[in-house]
Amino acid sequence: MIHAMPSAEEMARRADQASALAESLLVQGVRAVALSQVDNAGVTRVKTVPVSRLERAVKYGVGMSPVFEVFLVNDSITSSDEVGGPVGDLRLMPDPSALRVLAAQPGWAWAPVDKHTQEGEAYAGCQRSFARRMARRATDAGIDVRMTFELEWFQAALGSEVDNPIHTGPGYGLPVLATISDYARDLIAALEEEGVGVEQFHPEYAMGQLEVSVAPSDPVGAADTTVLVRQTIRAMAATHGMRASFSPIVVAGHVGNGGHVHFSLWRDGKNLFDGGRGPYGMTAEGEAFVAGVLAELPALVAVGSPSVPSYLRLIPSHWAGAFACWGRENREAAVRFVTGMLGTRDTAANTEVKCFDQSANPYLVAGALIAAGLAGVEKDLRLPDEVTVDPGGLSADELAHQGIQRLPQSVEEALSNLEKSDVLRDAMGPMLFGPFAAVRRGEAEAFAGKGPEEIVAAHRWRY
Ligand code: GLU
Ligand code: MG
């Protein structure tokens, strides 16, 4: 059995932090704390406590049924060999060092949780602990992974579905900014207040679509941040009489919302994507890591593009990265290598995985990407030739000739790849893999035979 961290010392440190924190929160006018986890369906679930109960929650957790490991996106419940049924309890242990005061929800703070058993052990099905375990695996190999999730979302007036979007273009249009000025300013200010390093904000290509990118951090921190940013966007939207959707596809047939992941790798403070002899200055280790990700990509999409609507988004020539290939600044390659501007490459060079979306659990994405990359490093893999065109424009023969594979086109296809991936199965362990696969299967069955409109509508306000 895999014992995920945090360690006993870490838990003791957290408890010490909690009482001081509770006092300072009250002074700041915070009354309640939202404790969130992202489940295997990619839905963020919450329990809340008043600030007066925070210390107790940090020490002993708050209860939640293990059956949430097999909740589907529509709140129906499946089961796996490992989990199911009404009996049992898990303790949700808030991480006080990740707690933030919510700038768009006055009087509220938020903290992510790790899941423990009632005996105080880390729960082997805990998604956040999985990300931490994989990040440690990387640091044990001397590699620091820095990561960030890019967020695209759709926003429309409260009470409306897709009519009354926040804008109708032009994509990236300055005119749009004039009409969303107050909202955009309030959102950027709130995120900055929360300590999220906002890098950019813009009106995106699709109707009603916006995007924010935020500064990278360690993998668990990056997943925490994306949960926080999404909640802040939702709350700020509500304040302005709107609501936000992070679903992969919000309007059937339109361009979707990506959840692109950027990562860079560092050894002894040096970027492994610069100054080496591999493609565009990658070091051998950096190249091997990316090659590991590319090799596992047909299985990784089951984690990173996990939902039924994910496959309505993951189509060629929509900048979603529907082909398992890589290219420098190729926005149709699932793996886009970014060198950055000359003069900044030692800090800027990074790899973007474009095929993922935000129906994914970001902790599972972080952990699975690292597991795949490290497997590439272990095997000292090399990258295949770069792809410099839109693979969607190539014939089947040309694709086969260049060894370019279309990524899976359904949950079932992705799941069957995941089931065959020893790298990802071993990394996740049975207590995480079993329930996760059951959820994927359950959702595929729940929406089997349903048309795009119905699928899209059923997912629109779930993520
Ligand atoms: N909206 C596109 C997607 O579905 C991405 C557009 C972009 O590259 O920013 O991933
Ligand atoms: Mg974008």
Side-chain angles (χ1 to χ4, degrees), residues 208-272:
Q209 197 177 35
L210 303 172
E211 171 169 335
V212 71
S213 37
V214 300
S217 58
D218 67 283
V220 174
D224 287 344
T225 297
T226 204
V227 172
L228 171 66
V229 172
R230 277 200 249 174
Q231 183 63 9
T232 305
I233 290 169
R234 288 184 196 110
M236 190 56 79
T239 304
H240 285 256
M242 289 180 276
R243 58 177 171 172
S245 168
F246 299 88
S247 188
I249 283 280
V250 176
V251 185
H254 284 213
V255 163
N257 293 322
H260 309 173
V261 184
H262 289 259
F263 66 86
S264 57
L265 310 169
W266 302 78
R267 178 178 286 283
D268 302 327
K270 269 198 53 79
N271 188 345
L272 295 177

Side-chain angles (χ1 to χ4, degrees), residues 150 152 172 202 204 211:
E150 237 172 68
E152 295 181 333
Y172 299 80
H202 64 262
E204 249 291 350
E211 171 169 335

Side-chain angles (χ1 to χ4, degrees), residues 166 177 180-190 201 236 240:
I166 187 170
L177 198 57
I180 65 168
S181 181
D182 288 353
Y183 174 76
R185 178 207 56 227
D186 289 354
L187 177 62
I188 291 169
F201 167 89
M236 190 56 79
H240 285 256

Side-chain angles (χ1 to χ4, degrees), residues 167-366:
H167 73 81
T168 50
Y172 299 80
L174 184 61
V176 171
L177 198 57
T179 64
I180 65 168
S181 181
D182 288 353
Y183 174 76
R185 178 207 56 227
D186 289 354
L187 177 62
I188 291 169
L191 293 172
E192 291 274 279
E193 216 171 290
E194 290 169 346
V196 173
V198 174
E199 298 209 323
Q200 281 184 37
F201 167 89
H202 64 262
E204 249 291 350
Y205 181 80
M207 168 190 97
Q209 197 177 35
L210 303 172
E211 171 169 335
V212 71
S213 37
V214 300
S217 58
D218 67 283
V220 174
D224 287 344
T225 297
T226 204
V227 172
L228 171 66
V229 172
R230 277 200 249 174
Q231 183 63 9
T232 305
I233 290 169
R234 288 184 196 110
M236 190 56 79
T239 304
H240 285 256
M242 289 180 276
R243 58 177 171 172
S245 168
F246 299 88
S247 188
I249 283 280
V250 176
V251 185
H254 284 213
V255 163
N257 293 322
H260 309 173
V261 184
H262 289 259
F263 66 86
S264 57
L265 310 169
W266 302 78
R267 178 178 286 283
D268 302 327
K270 269 198 53 79
N271 188 345
L272 295 177
F273 290 144
D274 183 62
R277 278 191 241 135
Y280 301 111
M282 289 184 203
T283 64
E285 212 172 19
E287 180 183 357
F289 193 103
V290 179
V293 168
L294 190 55
E296 290 295 335
L297 213 50
L300 277 170
V301 291
V303 176
S305 320
S307 65
V308 175
S310 290
Y311 297 89
L312 298 172
R313 165 185 170 265
L314 196 53
I315 52 179
S317 305
H318 282 63
W319 284 18
F323 291 88
C325 60
W326 79 279
R328 181 186 179 201
E329 294 295 4
N330 186 345
R331 286 180 171 77
E332 284 296 343
V335 176
R336 167 182 169 222
F337 188 62
V338 182
T339 53
M341 173 94 175
L342 201 65
T344 64
R345 291 184 180 166
D346 54 338
T347 52
N350 72 87
T351 296
E352 179 185 42
V353 180
K354 284 189 72 86
C355 49
F356 296 168
D357 65 60
Q358 295 165 91
S359 59
N361 179 313
Y363 301 96
L364 294 183
V365 167

